[in-house]
Amino acid sequence: MTDAFAFPDGFLWGAATAAHQIEGSPLADGAGPSIWTRFAHTPGLTHNGDTGDVACDHYRRWKDDVRLMRELGLTAYRFSVSWSRVLPEGTGRVNPAGLDFYSRLVDALLEAGIEPLLTLYHWDLPAALDDRGGWLNRDCAGWFAEYATVMAKALDGRVRKWVTLNEPWVITDGGYLHGALAPGHRNKYEAPIASHNLMRAHGAAVQAYRAVGRHEIGLVVNIEPKYPASDAPEDQTATRRAHAYMNEQYLHPALLGHYPPELREIFGDAWPDWPAEDFALIRQPLDFLGINYYTRNVTRADGSWPLKAGAVKQPSATYTETGWEVFPQGLTDTLLWVRRTYGDIPLYVTENGAAFFDPPVAEGGRVRDPLRIDYLRRHLRAVHEAIRAGCDIRGYMVWSLLDNLEWSLGYSKRFGIVHVNYATQQRTVKDSGRWYANVVRSHGRAL
Ligand SMILES: CO[C@H](O)c1c[n+]2c([nH]1)[C@H](O)[C@@H](O)[C@H](O)[C@H]2CO
């Protein structure tokens, strides 16, 4: 086996999931509802009316799933905590059964030699806090800090890698600007406020963690590199606008202490003058960044609201079931851009994967998913190229361990390296899962 793809010692090989997408039992044992409990039970808002009431039944099958991770040889597992399972009203009263679920999960991971990466917020805000304004209420920073303190006191030491938010861009663009995600608002004036408050909450949670925790905390952002469709000035400026809106809007305040100027141009009178002290709160020293990468965007100027920038389909490219171009070079470009722009902060690829149409489980329990193997192989090679170019990349989490609830798309899209039969909850390791296990075993050399 060549050392062409030797990865750094200690590089973490993992898989990622999120509470609402896999756990099920959203109201079990004293848990409170989240905005996704409400959103999915609102007719017409999710594919087929799919909800997270059962999902992958991970709340009850977690021991089997940890066993599965151990069989795959994973050395890390990124998961999220359901805030309203632990704090049913979002603040105040702690639900011991909720905290105990995550404590037992973490102990089982450690027992299996798997490093937990814990995401505090992966989109499932307690409904009780949404009733108080949710991310539109500046008090959310204090609510999130209180929740971070509860979790750090309970788990820090066993959990040594913490993430505050998963993808503030998707939370805002989906939940407050375009309305495709919970809480389903479509409001150009609300979006910047929710977005800014999310980042204030991120900063407050980092401060709260550091008052209790002794390990590492970071932020996870989705980055979609933008490539101009032409040299035409309007396409160049549209590309710049899209890049600022999706890729700089969160890393700039978190790491540089200011927003890119294009945001005022995009939102116009909907972009407030933020209090200067907010940026001191938002810009907290971070131990790492998590980068979620799926695809790129070839961008041209168009009439879309409010960005006036849209994607140009690439005729010769392969596209996934979610309509995303397969473009591994974009991952290398992204990782190098982050290092160039924000310095040598340690990085994890905290999500990367693809939904393809998977055939049913064949006789003998095989799921042939060659397109996913090709996608993962090419993207892992792209990670290695960035490492060779000097990026300090410390781990890779495939999205996802299990087929799961793809938010508003319901169960129609399968990202897992393990197939889930939702009727029987039978797990079947796909060919991509066996392939990934071999890559992990060889520490990347089998790429
Ligand atoms: C816009 O793509 C984002 O980077 C993105 C893709 N994904 C995500 N963020 C979320 O973090 C996951 O919960 C999704 O299940 C996953 C697959 O859609």
Side-chain angles (χ1 to χ4, degrees), residues 43-288:
L45 294 187
T46 63
H47 176 81
N48 276 345
D50 289 345
T51 74
D53 290 355
V54 178
C56 306
D57 200 24
H58 177 74
Y59 183 71
R60 300 186 317 152
R61 297 168 186 267
W62 59 275
K63 285 182 184 171
D64 295 339
D65 290 335
V66 173
R67 196 171 300 122
L68 198 53
M69 294 181 222
R70 190 177 54 199
E71 285 163 10
L72 291 171
L74 303 188
T75 56
Y77 173 54
R78 177 179 175 237
F79 66 99
S80 78
V81 170
S82 164
W83 184 344
S84 55
R85 215 185 268 291
V86 174
L87 288 157
E89 292 79 39
T91 63
R93 179 175 67 89
V94 172
N95 174 30
L99 208 46
D100 188 47
F101 169 70
Y102 295 106
S103 179
R104 285 179 290 139
L105 172 64
V106 165
D107 286 343
L109 291 168
L110 295 172
E111 175 68 29
I114 298 169
E115 175 97 42
L117 276 83
L118 185 153
T119 302
L120 287 166
Y121 188 69
H122 200 127
W123 306 0
D124 46 358
L125 184 73
L129 296 182
D130 196 46
D131 292 343
R132 296 164 64 182
W135 297 115
L136 298 173
N137 183 338
R138 280 179 67 90
D139 292 346
C140 64
W143 303 336
F144 195 46
E146 178 186 345
Y147 164 49
T149 302
V150 166
M151 295 312 299
K153 284 180 176 173
L155 297 180
D156 191 56
R158 291 182 281 163
V159 173
R160 296 175 299 179
K161 289 173 177 52
W162 296 78
V163 167
T164 55
L165 302 174
N166 178 74
E167 301 189 342
W169 180 86
V170 178
I171 299 168
T172 304
D173 187 81
Y176 291 89
L177 189 66
H178 292 290
L181 302 176
H185 298 192
R186 184 178 164 84
N187 187 318
K188 173 179 156 183
Y189 292 88
E190 285 188 354
I193 293 167
S195 180
H196 185 73
N197 279 339
L198 275 160
M199 293 311 289
R200 291 178 55 251
H202 157 76
V206 172
Q207 287 182 327
Y209 172 75
R210 296 219 192 280
V212 173
R214 295 288 170 272
H215 296 88
E216 297 179 345
I217 191 162
L219 170 68
V220 167
V221 292
N222 56 291
I223 301 292
E224 184 181 274
K226 313 293 181 181
Y227 301 80
S230 78
D231 293 338
E234 62 274 18
D235 286 349
Q236 297 287 323
T237 51
T239 302
R240 172 83 214 116
R241 232 179 5 254
H243 176 64
Y245 174 61
M246 192 166 189
N247 301 329
E248 295 178 337
Q249 180 174 188
Y250 301 95
L251 291 183
H252 265 39
L255 297 173
L256 305 179
H258 65 82
Y259 285 112
E262 288 81 0
L263 288 167
R264 181 172 294 284
E265 173 198 338
I266 293 163
F267 284 99
D269 66 345
W271 187 259
D273 292 322
W274 308 109
E277 63 271 17
D278 286 356
F279 295 97
L281 173 62
I282 293 169
R283 187 184 186 189
Q284 296 296 321
L286 298 180
D287 300 299
F288 64 86

Side-chain angles (χ1 to χ4, degrees), residues 332-387:
T332 305
D333 294 347
T334 290
L335 295 165
L336 293 174
W337 168 75
V338 170
R339 182 174 184 241
R340 210 171 40 244
T341 312
Y342 303 104
D344 222 355
I345 185 169
L347 303 175
Y348 291 86
V349 176
T350 33
E351 286 181 31
N352 176 244
F356 289 110
F357 176 75
D358 292 339
V361 180
E363 279 304 303
R366 270 195 73 181
V367 179
R368 291 174 173 78
D369 58 340
L371 289 177
R372 185 170 292 104
I373 291 173
D374 179 66
Y375 179 99
L376 296 177
R377 173 187 289 116
R378 293 168 66 196
H379 284 79
L380 275 165
R381 288 183 173 182
V383 171
H384 191 264
E385 187 180 337
I387 291 171

